[in-house]
Amino acid sequence: MISIEDRYFSLSRILLLVVGLWPYQKSKLARLQFICFFSILIIFIIFQFTTFITSKCTANFVIKVLALVFVCICIIIKYYSFFINSESIRYLMEQLQRIYDDLEDSNEIAIIEKYGRNAKCYTAILTTFIVCSVCMFTGALIWPDILQIISSTNKSRPRQLQILTEYFIDQERYFYYLLLHTNTAICIGLVSLVATGTMLIAYFQYMCAMFTIASYRIENAIKTQISQDIIKHNKNLMYESIKNAVDIHRKAMALSINLVSKIEISVFFLIIFGVMTLSTNIFRIFQIGLSTRNADELSISIIVGFISLLYMFIANLVGQEITDHYNYIYVAAYKIQWYIAPLNIQKLLLILIQRGNKTFGLNIGGLFVASMQCFAALANTSLSYFTVMYSIRQ
């Protein structure tokens, strides 16, 4: 028996183990790891909010703080949501393994392996991107200090973090401890973001594979080249093939709905804070670019803004793929020579075609359906908020 966990989820498993979120790892050490990492993220946000106590809260200052606070809130929501839904994630993995084991047709196995490889490619590419982002992010934080070390001048400049925080201690004296905490929080946050995101992408890729298998079974239920006599002789086999197609199609829908229902609330808040993250960081990019030449702050805002936009795009792209693959079975039902099939099979195909009028997608609370249209709407909303903030500044 081939394990899809070892074959297609190996990199996701490593990433989730690093941040203590692997659903099969429930030891006391893993729970302690989760508590430690979650506490680091929470403390990091708290000490960003404490800057409002010791600083003058102008509009620009508030936006500067919130531009990073919002993305940290998104990470914490995703991190905690994945932890509390670990049982559902494990159940889904077991269901996918069971469906994979039930496949006997070599073409169907090839279909599901193709989408498994797509999932691995998504994971590898996004992991590489996040590693580069971590290096750039931490580099932007320590670059001023590096310049001071290699500079020929003996005059020392006060050291401060590029991310606004208030620990109520001497930041100059404890600079490297604070830098360690900041870099640790960033690494944990970005790794957990890509680990949970790629795991969900992999799951939905398997849903797409199941929809494609359903379409394949429909298309092969009736062969255009065979004669009427052979169809009558094999009508029971045809009926079973179509029934199996409908069965795996319904399973894919049920698993998709089940997964979305578990993370629906967290995704709703992710959408809200994701839009605000993108808006505030676009504002920061324009603000820094027009008023100062602080390359470190500018690079941080560009990285955060690009990550939020990319995450929003990929989430909606996956949702669009689910909707498109869901419709494939109805396209297949239209294309086959249904009119030469026995009457009972024609009735079954007619029901399938009629059901094709109902759309299906990853619906979030009845307000958002993951699709490219939704991505365009969210991006447009982010730009609208940016326009409002920029006009108020003016």
Side-chain angles (χ1 to χ4, degrees):
M1 182 183 72
I2 298 175
S3 172
I4 62 172
E5 176 189 326
D6 296 331
R7 193 163 186 174
Y8 301 114
F9 290 87
S10 55
L11 182 54
S12 295
R13 178 178 60 191
I14 293 172
L15 293 172
L16 289 171
L17 282 171
V18 168
V19 292
L21 291 179
W22 181 240
Y24 290 91
Q25 189 74 19
K26 288 297 182 181
S27 64
K28 292 182 179 180
L29 180 61
R31 293 182 182 275
L32 179 62
Q33 182 184 10
F34 169 79
I35 293 172
C36 291
F37 286 179
F38 190 73
S39 300
I40 291 172
L41 293 173
I42 290 291
I43 293 171
F44 185 56
I45 288 184
I46 290 174
F47 285 124
Q48 289 183 73
F49 276 119
T50 52
T51 56
F52 294 136
I53 300 175
T54 58
S55 302
K56 185 178 179 181
C57 296
T58 62
N60 288 340
F61 180 81
V62 171
I63 292 175
K64 183 177 181 179
V65 174
L66 293 182
L68 287 175
V69 167
F70 283 144
V71 71
C72 293
I73 292 175
C74 289
I75 290 171
I76 286 178
I77 292 172
K78 195 68 179 292
Y79 190 71
Y80 184 71
S81 172
F82 208 87
F83 178 78
I84 63 175
N85 290 302
S86 58
E87 292 297 328
S88 300
I89 299 297
R90 184 168 64 180
Y91 167 78
L92 184 56
M93 177 77 79
E94 292 169 354
Q95 292 301 309
L96 293 178
Q97 182 66 60
R98 189 174 293 113
I99 291 169
Y100 185 86
D101 294 337
D102 290 340
L103 298 178
E104 297 179 354
D105 189 300
S106 59
N107 291 323
E108 293 179 1
I109 295 173
I111 289 171
I112 207 165
E113 288 182 345
K114 172 189 173 183
Y115 284 89
R117 289 192 295 270
N118 290 345
K120 288 183 69 175
C121 288
Y122 268 115
T123 305
I125 292 171
L126 291 176
T127 301
T128 303
F129 172 74
I130 287 297
V131 169
C132 295
S133 298
V134 168
C135 294
M136 293 174 65
F137 219 114
T138 54
L141 293 177
I142 65 174
W143 183 246
D145 201 52
I146 294 176
L147 286 178
Q148 184 173 335
I149 293 174
I150 64 176
S151 177
S152 58
T153 179
N154 293 326
K155 184 183 294 183
S156 62
R157 293 176 297 177
R159 294 173 296 185
Q160 61 179 7
L161 297 173
Q162 297 299 320
I163 297 176
L164 291 177
T165 52
E166 180 54 72
Y167 290 86
F168 301 105
I169 59 176
D170 187 350
Q171 292 201 13
E172 179 71 19
R173 181 178 180 182
Y174 299 100
F175 174 77
Y176 290 108
Y177 295 104
L178 303 183
L179 183 63
L180 176 63
H181 177 246
T182 301
N183 286 337
T184 303
I186 291 170
C187 291
I188 293 172
L190 292 180
V191 171
S192 63
L193 199 64
V194 72
T196 55
T198 54
M199 192 70 174
L200 294 177
I201 289 172
Y203 280 144
F204 286 121
Q205 282 294 304
Y206 273 93
M207 305 305 164
C208 291
M210 293 168 67
F211 286 135
T212 304
I213 290 172
S215 304
Y216 168 79
R217 289 176 178 178
I218 288 289
E219 291 171 351
N220 285 272
I222 301 176
K223 300 293 185 180
T224 57
Q225 293 85 2
I226 59 179
S227 65
Q228 184 73 15
D229 293 335
I230 297 178
I231 290 177
K232 289 180 178 179
H233 180 71
N234 292 330
K235 65 179 182 180
N236 290 332
L237 183 61
M238 292 166 52
Y239 186 83
E240 284 298 317
S241 180
I242 294 176
K243 187 177 75 172
N244 291 336
V246 174
D247 180 60
I248 196 170
H249 192 263
R250 292 178 63 183
K251 284 181 179 178
M253 289 176 60
L255 290 175
S256 299
I257 293 172
N258 180 61
L259 178 57
V260 170
S261 66
K262 297 298 182 181
I263 61 175
E264 186 175 38
I265 297 176
S266 61
V267 172
F268 179 78
F269 284 105
L270 278 174
I271 291 172
I272 294 174
F273 286 106
V275 169
M276 297 308 298
T277 299
L278 185 57
S279 300
T280 51
N281 279 281
I282 293 175
F283 178 82
R284 286 288 297 155
I285 291 171
F286 275 82
Q287 185 184 44
I288 297 170
L290 294 177
S291 60
T292 65
R293 295 187 177 182
N294 192 326
D296 302 318
E297 288 189 16
L298 181 62
S299 61
I300 290 173
S301 295
I302 291 174
I303 293 170
V304 173
F306 183 74
I307 289 175
S308 60
L309 183 65
L310 179 65
Y311 207 88
M312 193 183 297
F313 172 77
I314 292 177
N316 284 282
L317 177 62
V318 171
Q320 184 67 58
E321 288 183 342
I322 290 290
T323 300
D324 293 342
H325 283 76
Y326 168 83
N327 294 328
Y328 286 169
I329 189 172
Y330 307 110
V331 175
Y334 274 111
K335 288 170 61 178
I336 63 174
Q337 291 181 318
W338 56 269
Y339 49 85
I340 61 174
L343 185 60
N344 61 334
I345 296 178
Q346 288 186 28
K347 291 179 179 179
L348 182 59
L349 291 173
L350 182 60
I351 293 173
L352 281 174
I353 293 172
Q354 289 176 339
R355 286 184 60 190
N357 294 326
K358 298 181 180 180
T359 59
F360 176 78
L362 304 182
N363 194 312
I364 309 300
L367 298 174
F368 305 97
V369 178
S371 62
M372 297 313 296
Q373 183 178 0
C374 180
F375 167 73
L378 293 177
N380 185 59
T381 303
S382 299
L383 289 175
S384 298
Y385 289 148
F386 155 71
T387 304
V388 171
M389 288 186 289
Y390 193 77
S391 61
I392 292 174
R393 174 182 177 273
Q394 295 296 99

